Amino acid sequence: MQNAEHAFYEEDGTRFVSSELTRGPWDAGSQHAGPPAALLARALERCGAERDDLAGRLLGRITLEILRPVPIAPLRLEAAVTRPGRRVEMVEATLLDVGGGPLVKARGWRLRRATVDLPAELSSATPGSAPQRAGRPSGRPGLPAPPESLEPSSVFFPTAHDIGYHTAMEYRFEVGGFDEPGPAVAWMRMRQPLVAGEEPTPLQRVLVAADSGNGISSTLDFTRFLFINVDLSVHLQRMPVGEWVGLDSLTVPEPTGLGISDTMLFDEQGPLGRANQTLLIAPR
């Protein structure tokens, strides 16, 4: 991880001070949804930190409702277990503007970790052994080329901003690109920590990248259209290994102003899960 003194956020007491690295493509004063998603995932991971059994729990699904644009400003978090359970529990977190109302709400299912004796070919426990889809959304079965074999992308949407989410993340495309409309297969990794002084957890690495499905696979001209997601749902079968998170994404806009983005998530060992977004489609 480069330049550890820089991060998406700095923790200051009960506040999280946002840096310019959180800036998204739609507005100079608003954040990309990836960093807030990862920050909320951090809150869900830590919720109930005083409990002895927390390390034995895994988040299997997180859904985020983006209520308002997230400003590049100090933020605060609230989190709680809202449905306790011995084997399954629901946790919720809210990202709030300091002095204002809620910006993003997250809800997740946290499941008890257990050892289950399964045939090797039915899980991802053995690299390369997990069942493969007959065809992914982009029509590419199997795994993409490893990130080390691909060139870093130097192209992003023409936002006119020198610093933002796009400079804090590294992209390597096997299929598509920001200047190539249509389905895309790309690797992503964080160049900077989520919170200053902390090593990102595997869950945080997934969430900071998963919101980029509609960006890497956009089908519309960025200068003419908006294709902004109002939510993000991430279903995980396991946590990633290593720094790289892969996205195989497809975006479908409709003339009604509704759209969706569907993403298969993976790492170098195989599939991780899925990410889906509901999109607002509109002319600028």
Side-chain angles (χ1 to χ4, degrees):
M1 187 159 300
Q2 305 171 4
N3 300 327
E5 69 273 18
H6 299 295
F8 290 101
Y9 303 101
E10 182 175 353
E11 192 170 9
D12 179 20
T14 60
R15 306 186 312 163
F16 290 87
V17 180
S18 310
S19 77
E20 288 187 294
L21 296 176
T22 62
R23 178 179 289 118
W26 304 111
D27 179 83
S30 298
Q31 299 189 30
H32 188 285
L39 196 62
L40 282 158
R42 177 183 181 273
L44 295 181
E45 285 182 300
R46 295 180 174 215
C47 185
E50 70 284 353
R51 289 168 32 184
D52 295 335
D53 67 340
L54 192 61
R57 301 272 174 165
L58 295 170
L59 276 155
R61 190 270 288 169
I62 297 177
T63 295
L64 298 100
E65 309 291 355
I66 303 171
L67 306 178
R68 291 192 287 142
V70 180
I72 302 176
L75 306 168
R76 60 188 180 92
L77 283 164
E78 295 177 353
V81 177
T82 54
R83 188 276 197 189
R86 186 171 60 88
R87 293 190 294 181
V88 179
E89 63 186 8
M90 177 169 284
V91 286
E92 297 186 11
T94 303
L95 186 67
L96 303 102
D97 193 351
V98 172
L103 301 167
V104 185
K105 288 183 175 290
R107 177 178 290 174
W109 282 111
R110 202 158 60 180
L111 291 74
R112 188 181 69 183
R113 185 193 298 266
T115 300
V116 183
D117 186 15
L118 297 176
E121 68 274 10
L122 296 183
S123 76
S124 58
T126 303
S129 67
Q132 297 295 319
R133 289 169 56 93
R136 299 219 297 275
S138 61
R140 294 183 53 82
L143 291 175
E148 291 76 13
S149 68
L150 304 171
E151 292 295 321
S153 175
S154 60
V155 178
F156 191 65
F157 296 124
T159 63
H161 309 315
D162 293 333
I163 300 175
Y165 175 84
H166 64 290
T167 62
M169 301 293 292
E170 182 175 354
Y171 301 84
R172 298 193 180 196
F173 285 88
E174 185 188 20
V175 177
F178 289 110
D179 56 348
E180 298 179 32
V185 178
W187 291 99
M188 295 178 62
R189 71 172 171 181
M190 304 166 70
R191 296 180 185 271
Q192 314 293 354
L194 178 69
V195 177
E198 294 183 7
E199 183 69 20
T201 67
L203 181 66
Q204 293 164 25
R205 292 185 188 280
V206 173
L207 266 292
V208 80
D211 187 72
S212 293
N214 64 322
I216 66 168
S217 66
S218 61
T219 55
L220 298 169
D221 184 344
F222 176 81
T223 63
R224 296 180 54 208
F225 294 95
L226 301 174
F227 37 95
I228 302 173
N229 60 302
V230 298
D231 62 10
L232 172 67
S233 287
V234 177
H235 292 255
L236 295 169
Q237 64 199 65
R238 63 179 178 87
M239 293 298 145
V241 176
E243 294 185 347
W244 290 98
V245 174
L247 291 79
D248 184 339
S249 301
L250 171 72
T251 293
V252 181
E254 298 291 352
T256 57
L258 179 68
I260 62 168
S261 177
D262 179 58
T263 297
M264 174 175 277
L265 301 167
F266 53 88
D267 64 7
E268 294 186 73
Q269 293 189 0
L272 295 174
R274 302 201 74 82
N276 294 99
Q277 299 165 296
T278 304
L279 306 179
L280 166 68
I281 309 295
R284 284 185 177 272

